[in-house]
């Protein structure tokens, strides 16, 4: 049976230009996995018996995010997993291949974390979860998925140096050199923290070689595409659409003098497959922040005069429970569909025996929660601490039309993900705005949420700070002390960089304002031309503030490292 594989314009660019090195910064719905699958297929056909490294932050990330969608596409191309002599195939995972499989040029001693193909090619799965585990034998090509989660320094020291050897077979010393031998393919969603910006720097050659202001024009295109979603006039729609085409021609992809192809793409680049209605529906359903980052792939920079002094030490990415994920993989014979269905058991940073702490921000346009636990372990350094660390391990948000449905949807999403959490206790940090009665309900937001949690089998212990909303200046001082980590009276904070993506974007895009010597948070909507995300971007930060203030505000007024129990209500 012949399968038709249709490539969108962004995918076609990578196939046609055939660069040695590729960097894809693409949003959701653009087909990043197809590009990786195409490269694996290309290497299999052009460099038999070659080795390709596939690097992730952890093996769990590779097994649950990178490989499932990649191999689903490879199977459309005719690849089939080898099960037995009675059920043969052309690739096998984590096992010694059958005798009729050809072996790679590079001798393989162990087949753990290895995928063998029948023509002798191999995918070597490398992880950064512990020192030395991302080292391996010499390889002929590098693939790096979700590159924004990688520790770049360690990658350069441990993994990149293995991209060597076999020059006489595939490289410049061979009779027929393969152009992409010893190349790399970095695939990622949009970087959103300072340590991830190295990915964008790989696109600087646009301006250096051809004076193309790639990043500026790309965001300009996105702003026009947002106008398309609001446009009601056929003529105006046509005019704006044509202007986006003109701007895209200004940033037409090309390969650098060093052989690198850097590309941006968003859902509009895959509109023939996902449809304009899908993009418009996501625009109406999601928060603007989520839509701009996840679907539109907008470049987000940390604003100047930021309210939150976040740095690299506050963010960690190694948080997958690899041993559990490996058991699931082995027990299901690497069923890619089942590996894609994650829950809290996949998370190493969630202590199943401890209560879960929730803080909320309720609103008519968005309702959201942060999920955290107080730990005495620093996931950034891997060290046990003698001081508490408020560890933010997840986030949830919804934006449907009816508030009561919105609350139920938010709570149900949380309960589904944490169904297998052993200790069904919630420490519920109340948002005082959530105590207000709604016009269409006899219950407040908080009452509805607590009721819904209890119906799902959770014991809920509410907490609330004393008095009304805290003074902005005092809250600012508390947050500064927590995040600067220079005063032992205060706890520390850590954020899961994979699961709390929008929390970090929100905090990085919140400005501090000063009036009469006192500091506060700027919550005004910014103009579209400023490049700063609008008011929605402050909501996750507000939820973080609530748990900081409710739990730790007494630290401001105590001279010793003392925590005063907060009031239960």
């Amino acid at each position: 049976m012949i399968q038709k594989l249709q490539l969108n314009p962004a995918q076609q660019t990578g196939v046609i230009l055939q660069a040695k090195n590729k960097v894809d910064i693409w949003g959701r719905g653009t087909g990043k996995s197809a590009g990786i699958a195409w490269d694996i297929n290309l290497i299999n056909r052009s460099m038999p018996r070659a080795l390709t490294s596939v690097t992730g932050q952890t093996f769990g990330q590779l097994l649950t995010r990178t490989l499932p969608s990649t191999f689903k596409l490879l199977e459309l191309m005719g690849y089939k997993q080898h099960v037995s002599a009675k059920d043969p195939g052309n690739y096998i995972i984590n096992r010694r291949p059958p005798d009729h499989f050809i072996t790679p040029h590079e001798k393989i001693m162990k087949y753990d974390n290895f995928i063998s193909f029948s023509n002798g090619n191999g995918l070597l799965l490398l992880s950064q979860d512990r020192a030395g585990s991302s080292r391996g034998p010499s390889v002929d090509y590098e693939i790096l998925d979700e590159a924004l989660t990688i520790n770049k320094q360690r990658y350069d020291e441990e993994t990149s140096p293995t991209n060597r050897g076999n020059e006489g077979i595939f490289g410049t010393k061979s009779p027929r050199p393969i152009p992409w031998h010893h190349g790399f393919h970095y695939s990622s969603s949009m970087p959103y923290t300072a340590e991830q910006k190295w990915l964008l720097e790989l696109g600087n050659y646009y301006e250096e070689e051809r004076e193309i202001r790639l990043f500026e024009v790309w965001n300009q295109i996105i702003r026009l595409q947002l106008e398309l979603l609001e446009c009601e006039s056929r003529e105006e729609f046509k005019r704006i659409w044509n202007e986006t085409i003109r701007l895209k021609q200004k940033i037409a992809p090309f390969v650098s003098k060093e052989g690198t192809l850097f590309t941006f793409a968003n859902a509009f680049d895959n509109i023939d497959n996902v449809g304009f209605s899908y993009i418009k529906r996501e625009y109406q359903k999601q928060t603007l922040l989520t839509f701009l980052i996840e679907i539109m792939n907008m470049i987000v920079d940390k604003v100047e005069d930021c309210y939150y002094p976040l740095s690299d030490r506050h963010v960690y990415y190694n948080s997958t429970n690899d041993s559990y994920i490996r058991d699931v993989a082995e027990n299901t014979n690497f069923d890619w569909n089942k590996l894609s269905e994650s829950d809290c058991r996949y998370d190493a940073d969630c202590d199943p025996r401890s209560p879960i702490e929730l803080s909320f921000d309720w609103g008519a346009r968005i309702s959201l929660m942060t999920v955290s636990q107080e730990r005495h372990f620093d996931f950034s350094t891997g060290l046990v601490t003698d001081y508490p660390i408020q560890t933010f391990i997840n986030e949830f948000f919804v934006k449907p039309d009816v508030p009561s449905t919105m609350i139920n949807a938010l709570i149900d999403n949380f309960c589904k993900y944490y169904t297998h959490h052993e200790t069904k206790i919630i420490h519920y940090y109340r948002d005082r705005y959530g105590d207000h009665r709604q016009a269409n309900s006899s219950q407040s937001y908080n009452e509805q949420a607590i009721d819904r949690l209890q119906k799902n089998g959770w014991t809920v212990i509410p907490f609330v700070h004393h008095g009304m909303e805290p003074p902005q200046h005092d809250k600012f001082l508390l947050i500064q002390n927590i995040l600067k980590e220079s005063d032992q009276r205060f706890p520390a904070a850590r954020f899961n960089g994979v699961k709390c993506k929008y929390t970090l974007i929100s905090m990085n895009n919140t400005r501090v304002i000063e009036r009469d010597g006192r500091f506060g948070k700027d919550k005004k909507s910014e103009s579209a031309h400023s490049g700063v995300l609008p008011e929605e971007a402050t909501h996750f930060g507000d939820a973080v503030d609530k748990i900081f203030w409710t739990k730790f505000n007494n630290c401001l007024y105590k001279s010793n490292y003392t925590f005063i129990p907060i009031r239960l209500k």
Side-chain angles (χ1 to χ4, degrees), residues 57 82 96 99 127 246 378 509 547:
Q57 175 60 44
H82 180 87
R96 179 175 290 278
D99 291 341
S127 165
R246 186 189 71 80
D378 188 337
N509 283 276
I547 198 165

Side-chain angles (χ1 to χ4, degrees), residues 103-161:
T103 58
H105 289 296
E106 186 81 17
K107 189 170 181 62
I108 302 301
M109 305 301 295
K110 294 176 63 178
Y111 288 90
D112 292 342
N113 307 312
F114 194 82
I115 300 177
S116 302
F117 293 93
S118 57
N119 70 340
N121 276 75
L123 298 181
L124 180 65
L125 309 185
L126 300 177
S127 165
Q128 286 198 330
D129 63 340
R130 59 187 183 276
S133 60
S134 58
R135 300 179 189 271
S138 296
V139 301
D140 300 285
Y141 194 80
E142 300 173 59
I143 292 175
L144 178 55
D145 191 27
E146 283 307 307
L148 58 80
T149 67
I150 292 297
N151 181 313
K152 181 62 163 57
Q153 181 178 347
R154 280 189 56 196
Y155 183 81
D156 289 342
E157 292 172 352
E158 297 181 357
T159 306
S160 284

Side-chain angles (χ1 to χ4, degrees), residues 527-547:
S527 70
H529 300 291
S530 67
V532 179
L533 295 176
E535 188 175 351
E536 280 88 340
T538 66
H539 290 312
F540 269 115
D542 291 344
V544 170
D545 295 352
K546 287 183 181 69
I547 198 165

